[in-house]
Amino acid sequence: MHVAKTDVFAGITSGMLSRMTVAPLDVIKIRMQLQDGRIGMLATGRSILQKEGFLAFWKGNAMAMCLWGAYTGVQFTAYAVIKRHLFEDVPHQKQGEGTRSQGFQGMLCGGLAGMVAVSASYPLDVLRTTLAADTSAKG
């Protein structure tokens, strides 16, 4: 089985960069899910900043970057492998024909690749959530 290095690299890179960008929102979301009372997103963010400092918004981010790097790396690679194995013998059609079958192929391969990626990366997601939920000042 040949796996394109560009699929793996593109998946890992995109997952890690996107994760680093949205980390503060994810920490706020997790904290809001754990709160007894209902306070808003801005109030939760202010509370984190005041009690734990600016870097608290990236608590658990190293684990999350590993998670999303692994998830998207596996997903990109699994998509390419699944598509090649399921549809490499399907005859190519002229442009404009068969768009329904191409859409179905993409949906099927994407769904299967997503299932493989979630299964492979779920243990990292549990660790990431545990770290992000930690409210101690150290992190």
Side-chain angles (χ1 to χ4, degrees):
M1 171 176 73
H2 172 71
V3 176
K5 291 178 185 175
T6 54
D7 289 331
V8 176
F9 181 73
I12 291 171
T13 304
S14 67
M16 292 177 80
L17 289 174
S18 64
R19 174 58 208 169
M20 192 182 329
T21 304
V22 299
L25 294 174
D26 196 45
V27 169
I28 291 171
K29 176 199 73 163
I30 290 170
R31 298 293 178 83
M32 289 177 71
Q33 290 171 337
L34 296 173
Q35 290 174 5
D36 290 333
R38 296 282 175 215
I39 63 171
M41 190 171 111
L42 293 176
T44 302
R46 264 188 248 113
S47 174
I48 293 169
L49 184 61
Q50 290 170 352
K51 293 177 183 175
E52 302 170 56
F54 182 72
L55 293 180
F57 290 109
W58 283 271
K59 266 190 180 176
N61 194 50
M63 182 58 65
M65 288 177 64
C66 292
L67 162 70
W68 286 106
Y71 175 85
T72 54
V74 169
Q75 184 183 35
F76 277 45
T77 304
Y79 180 87
V81 169
I82 291 167
K83 188 171 183 180
R84 185 171 46 251
H85 285 288
L86 290 181
F87 300 109
E88 71 181 2
D89 294 332
V90 175
H92 295 289
Q93 299 174 338
K94 294 178 185 174
Q95 189 167 354
E97 295 179 11
T99 53
R100 278 194 184 146
S101 66
Q102 289 174 342
F104 174 75
Q105 290 175 11
M107 184 179 70
L108 179 64
C109 294
L112 292 172
M115 286 190 280
V116 170
V118 166
S119 299
S121 62
Y122 186 73
L124 293 173
D125 192 30
V126 172
L127 291 172
R128 175 200 63 89
T129 304
T130 303
L131 290 171
D134 180 16
T135 60
S136 66
K138 295 181 181 178

